[in-house]
Amino acid sequence: MPRFLRLLLVAGLAISSAHGASSPHSGWTLVPGAEDLIAAGAWSCVSQVSAGANALTISAGSSYVTPVNTSGPRLAVQGDFSVLATISAATDAGAFLTLEGALSTGPNFWNGLKRLDLGIGGGGIQVNWWTGDSATPGAQSFPLPSGTSGPIPLEAARIGTQLVFFAGGTELGRIDDPGIFASGRVYLGFNVAPQNTLTVSALAAAMPSDGSSTVTLSSASLQTIPRTGTALRDLAGASGFLVGAAVNPSLLSNSAYAQTLGREFNLIVPENVLKFDATEPAPFQYSFCAADQLVAFAQANGMKMRGHNLVWHQQIPSWVTNGNYTPDQAANILHDHIVTVAGRYQGKLIDWDVVNEGIANSPPYGLQPSYWLTQLGSGYIDQAFLWAHDADPTAKLFYNDYGGEGLGAKSDAIYNMVKGMLGRGVPIDGVGLEMHLTLNGAPSFDSLSANIQRLGALGLQVHITELDVRLPVPASDANLAAQAQIYQNVAAACLANANCTAMLTWGISDAYSWIPGSFPGFGAALMFDQLFLPKPNYSAVWGLLAPLSSSVQIATDGTGVLIHGGTSTNLSPGSLVDISGANLATITASAPAGAAALPLTLAGTQVSINGAAAPLLYVSPSLIVAQVPYEIAPGAATAVVTNNGTVGNPASTAVQVAAPSIFTDASGHALATNCTAPGNFATVYLTGSGPLDNPIPTGTVAPLSPPSSETLTTAVTLGGQPAMLMSALMTPGMVGVLQVTFAIPPLPAGDAQVMVSIGDAQSNQALFCVSQQ
Ligand code: XIL
């Protein structure tokens, strides 16, 4: 061979070895798309791996590190395949390519683990394998191929029933395959001994060139989970209610985890990967890869996603807190963080926990000490919401906190703060109630509901954001039952208030919960147990959500459709009607106060009477108050309720010209002017007027002038005595309410029965209190 050719060849070999170009053993070819798994492997999502453009570096401290890429791409394999890695290590203490066919099922690292390590160790090439039932691996060593120095191009191949190992295309040896990749999956990772550093300069997958096997790249975050149609999300989703869980993308590769998540929940919140330390690990250097995986999973499975969180006193990286920044610099850091992170996810997240836990958890419930409070001052909360709103004007912006779920000093502090923010025009849309509860510390239904309601009165949404109820472990049956009752109370209090639109648990399964780590001795806090089986608290929540999607039923026992305030099944055009039943509405809602007309759809519910839409005053799962359309002619009529597209049973009723029904309070007293003496005028309120001289369109409030007066003969008796009628007209500003004003006849003081007749029809009897003259 001419000398220059030989030089060229040597130089070429050196170059290819230094750059670690992958080429499989002979007769095999690289898998399309998997030629460069350093670039295509989404390694920046994997902690403990430092991902450069051309190489991965993994450094171990005092113990082994074994980063496995469970959230990014893995291989799906049928038949023969191989993985190639060109590796070098600081020492020969142990540095391996790790391939896992089945991930650990816990609690020990080796439980269920099917794993093959191929790498440098003990002065040669070493292979270790685990089959799921012992901590001790099978092991085999091979001498380093002669002349090897620098990066070593290794290849681990499954060929038939054997695992075969190559260095630089030359076979080192083989073992019988104990079925390590029988799952058809191959997760890629590395294993590095203490104090060692592994550099991976090439990573690829290969297969036989003859096309006898199938090898593709797939990703846990893109899997589509099968749906049952009867899971929590199906029941809740029928009414637009959101049930969610806090999620870690690194666990999406656990099949039970991903299946439960996609099957049961329609809302995801990242447990950690959107926090400051995860998204901005170094100054102005952002990392979105892990959060992007959750967005991808949510989109692939028709789920929504919350953002958690932009500003918190915890999980701030030390580059911030130790950075000796001036207040201006700190403000700039926070501003850049909020606009970058919220801006990046604009349109992808339904809402953001903008400020997390900003109020201290002990008296006097002032602002929680934090880096941001120290640096920016007490205006930082308002400021954060303004910046977040600029960055993502479509996301709903929440203040999120714990310990202020029921009524009490902390919830008062939260209430007052958010009320103040609204008053200052700060763009806040909601309050997140975390609810990390204990059996003894849970708020009652009433207290929680009242707090949700008062926030609603401010115009704020509420989400139950981080529900868990921790129990001493192992959990007793009695405690699991008590836990179920708390879950039920929380869910019921949320569902009872139209402004409470989501409930999330802080995790999915007790196998992966923050509780055991943060509250030693406690656990079992979530709705699925260690094996992802539903617990009693799941059934409790399921039972509450079930009516949301099951059939809409008007009661058929004679109480189904009644004139409002009375007991009569007779209605009249324009009167208010009570419709009783089950699943009539998903939530409780009232028509907006002060509007000129009632809505025809309220919280997704509609009523039709003889095909005409009936305006709605109030809807709840068991009761609707609606107006009978004026165009309904007297005679037999049929009412139908539709709840979010689900059509209920037709219910028969009767409409007559007039059907007076006096409104009463709980004690049977007419809603009227209080205790009036004989000779004075009194007004009682009722529904069910006859024709009006100044007709009012269905659903609209009665005019002040000219008033709409009753045209049929109207008479009032009080205590059996005829009373002089002054007027009978529709109450201005109200829909379907008639007011009848009369003079009190001479009667002794005390309660007397009042009755109104319109035309031929008589009202119910109500009590009226006559006072001393
Ligand atoms: C917790 C996570 O669950 C842990 O994994 C992490 O180590 C610390 O933070 N309130 C919150 C959540 O708002 O962000 C916290 O999450 C739990 C308490």
Side-chain angles (χ1 to χ4, degrees):
M1 188 187 295
R3 199 179 128 82
F4 76 90
L5 248 185
R6 238 179 30 229
L7 270 177
L8 209 64
L9 204 60
V10 170
L13 273 178
I15 286 166
S16 90
S17 152
H19 286 250
S22 300
S23 45
H25 68 281
S26 91
W28 283 42
T29 181
L30 293 178
V31 171
E35 300 95 340
D36 182 358
L37 291 173
I38 289 178
W43 288 98
S44 58
C45 285
V46 182
S47 58
Q48 297 166 326
V49 174
S50 148
N54 300 312
L56 306 174
T57 311
I58 302 98
S59 291
S62 56
S63 49
Y64 271 88
V65 294
T66 313
V68 175
N69 195 344
T70 54
S71 56
R74 57 175 167 78
L75 300 176
V77 297
Q78 271 172 38
D80 296 351
F81 74 94
S82 72
V83 177
L84 298 92
T86 301
I87 65 172
S88 52
T91 75
D92 67 357
F96 304 90
L97 166 71
T98 291
L99 304 176
E100 296 191 0
L103 305 175
S104 166
T105 50
N108 302 304
F109 87 91
W110 47 268
N111 289 140
L113 179 68
K114 309 268 190 208
R115 165 173 155 192
L116 173 71
D117 278 17
L118 166 65
I120 302 164
I125 302 293
Q126 204 173 308
V127 176
N128 296 308
W129 63 94
W130 288 259
T131 53
D133 34 31
S134 163
T136 312
Q140 184 108 29
S141 296
F142 311 104
L144 261 187
S146 59
T148 310
S149 69
I152 308 172
L154 294 173
E155 182 179 0
R158 176 174 75 179
I159 302 176
T161 59
Q162 295 195 302
L163 299 175
V164 187
F165 310 103
F166 302 86
T170 306
E171 183 176 332
L172 297 167
R174 52 180 70 205
I175 61 170
D176 287 337
D177 177 12
I180 290 187
F181 306 104
S183 65
R185 299 174 177 196
V186 183
Y187 294 99
L188 305 171
F190 307 98
N191 181 29
V192 182
Q195 314 303 342
N196 203 358
T197 294
L198 168 68
T199 303
V200 183
S201 50
L203 187 65
M207 58 188 179
S209 312
D210 64 9
S212 57
S213 61
T214 314
V215 182
T216 51
L217 269 190
S218 75
S219 168
S221 54
L222 289 177
Q223 59 190 317
T224 309
I225 305 302
R227 301 275 301 277
T228 61
T230 55
L232 297 180
R233 67 176 291 182
D234 303 299
L235 306 179
S239 67
F241 189 73
L242 296 171
V243 275
V247 175
N248 286 306
S250 61
L251 294 171
L252 291 177
S253 54
N254 176 325
S255 142
Y257 185 92
Q259 298 285 323
T260 309
L261 174 63
R263 185 186 70 231
E264 298 288 344
F265 298 98
N266 54 12
L267 179 63
I268 280 179
V269 63
E271 183 172 357
N272 286 303
V273 298
L274 273 178
K275 291 174 181 172
F276 202 124
D277 58 355
T279 48
E280 195 179 353
F284 305 98
Q285 288 182 31
Y286 290 89
S287 166
F288 296 117
C289 149
D292 285 353
Q293 291 176 333
L294 291 183
V295 172
F297 186 90
Q299 285 176 353
N301 290 283
M303 310 166 82
K304 300 212 183 320
M305 190 157 141
R306 298 188 90 242
H308 174 84
N309 56 56
L310 292 169
V311 188
W312 193 23
H313 64 285
Q314 291 182 29
Q315 290 179 274
I316 309 174
S318 57
W319 70 259
V320 174
T321 46
N322 297 341
N324 288 319
Y325 294 109
T326 64
D328 279 354
Q329 287 171 324
N332 184 43
I333 287 169
L334 188 61
H335 174 252
D336 192 78
H337 184 83
I338 290 174
V339 298
T340 306
V341 178
R344 185 166 196 285
Y345 289 102
Q346 189 184 337
K348 299 202 166 114
L349 305 178
I350 56 167
D351 47 38
W352 267 108
D353 289 334
V354 177
V355 175
N356 201 38
E357 303 177 354
I359 292 179
N361 201 39
S362 53
Y365 302 102
L367 290 182
Q368 164 70 36
S370 88
Y371 178 81
W372 306 117
L373 177 63
T374 307
Q375 288 281 47
L376 278 73
S378 60
Y380 87 95
I381 296 180
D382 285 6
Q383 185 63 75
F385 277 82
L386 290 164
W387 284 335
H389 182 67
D390 284 347
D392 186 352
T394 58
K396 301 282 181 226
L397 304 184
F398 278 65
Y399 173 75
N400 189 51
D401 210 336
Y402 68 101
E405 289 95 359
L407 296 176
K410 177 138 184 194
S411 68
D412 286 350
I414 295 171
Y415 176 85
N416 290 331
M417 182 182 79
V418 297
K419 189 174 178 190
M421 290 168 75
L422 287 166
R424 293 189 293 277
V426 175
I428 177 170
D429 303 292
V431 171
L433 305 179
E434 291 187 14
M435 312 214 75
H436 296 291
L437 303 177
T438 57
L439 285 184
N440 296 326
S444 69
F445 169 93
D446 286 344
S447 174
L448 176 58
S449 182
N451 192 33
I452 295 171
Q453 199 176 359
R454 69 171 168 170
L455 292 166
L458 294 179
L460 293 173
Q461 270 190 56
V462 169
H463 287 174
I464 307 297
T465 50
E466 305 185 12
L467 178 62
D468 52 26
V469 181
R470 57 184 178 268
L471 305 178
V473 280
S476 67
D477 286 351
N479 280 350
L480 288 168
Q483 178 186 57
Q485 184 60 52
I486 294 174
Y487 268 77
Q488 182 166 345
N489 283 349
V490 171
C494 183
L495 290 168
N497 291 281
N499 63 313
C500 189
T501 48
M503 180 173 112
L504 302 97
T505 54
W506 201 244
I508 299 170
S509 137
D510 295 335
Y512 302 103
S513 155
W514 76 305
I515 293 296
S518 299
F519 302 92
F522 287 84
L526 296 164
M527 288 193 290
F528 295 89
D529 69 10
Q530 297 277 342
L531 299 175
F532 287 87
L533 296 173
K535 293 160 55 182
N537 51 352
Y538 174 89
S539 308
V541 172
W542 194 96
L544 275 179
L545 294 177
L548 302 191
S549 81
S550 58
S551 65
V552 178
Q553 281 291 327
I554 297 179
T556 49
D557 61 359
T559 65
V561 182
L562 298 175
I563 191 159
H564 186 65
T567 52
S568 158
T569 55
N570 291 330
L571 318 174
S572 70
S575 64
L576 298 176
V577 55
D578 286 353
I579 300 174
S580 302
N583 308 314
L584 301 177
T586 305
I587 55 174
T588 297
S590 298
L598 297 180
L600 300 178
T601 300
L602 189 53
T605 286
Q606 292 149 331
V607 172
S608 79
I609 299 179
N610 284 359
L616 301 169
L617 209 64
Y618 169 86
V619 301
S620 78
S622 58
L623 177 69
I624 292 174
V625 182
Q627 188 188 26
V628 177
Y630 277 109
E631 58 265 40
I632 302 299
T638 303
V640 176
V641 173
T642 305
N643 176 2
N644 287 284
T646 305
V647 182
N649 59 318
S652 300
T653 184
V655 175
Q656 59 189 39
V657 175
S661 170
I662 300 177
F663 296 157
T664 56
D665 64 17
S667 64
H669 283 82
L671 296 186
T673 324
N674 258 349
C675 293
T676 306
N680 290 337
F681 298 139
T683 301
V684 295
Y685 296 90
L686 60 153
T687 190
S689 69
L692 304 172
D693 64 353
N694 180 23
I696 306 168
T698 296
T700 58
V701 300
L704 182 62
S705 93
S708 295
S709 296
E710 175 58 61
T711 59
L712 297 179
T713 307
T714 304
V716 180
T717 60
L718 186 62
Q721 296 194 35
M724 183 167 62
L725 186 84
M726 308 308 297
S727 66
L729 51 91
M730 298 305 288
T731 305
M734 313 238 357
V735 174
V737 178
L738 184 68
Q739 58 184 59
V740 174
T741 303
F742 57 93
I744 313 285
L747 284 173
D751 278 342
Q753 300 272 17
V754 63
M755 205 177 76
V756 175
S757 58
I758 298 178
D760 294 333
Q762 291 193 329
S763 76
N764 53 318
Q765 295 207 332
L767 292 175
F768 186 89
C769 140
V770 178
S771 59
Q772 211 87 60
Q773 217 154 2

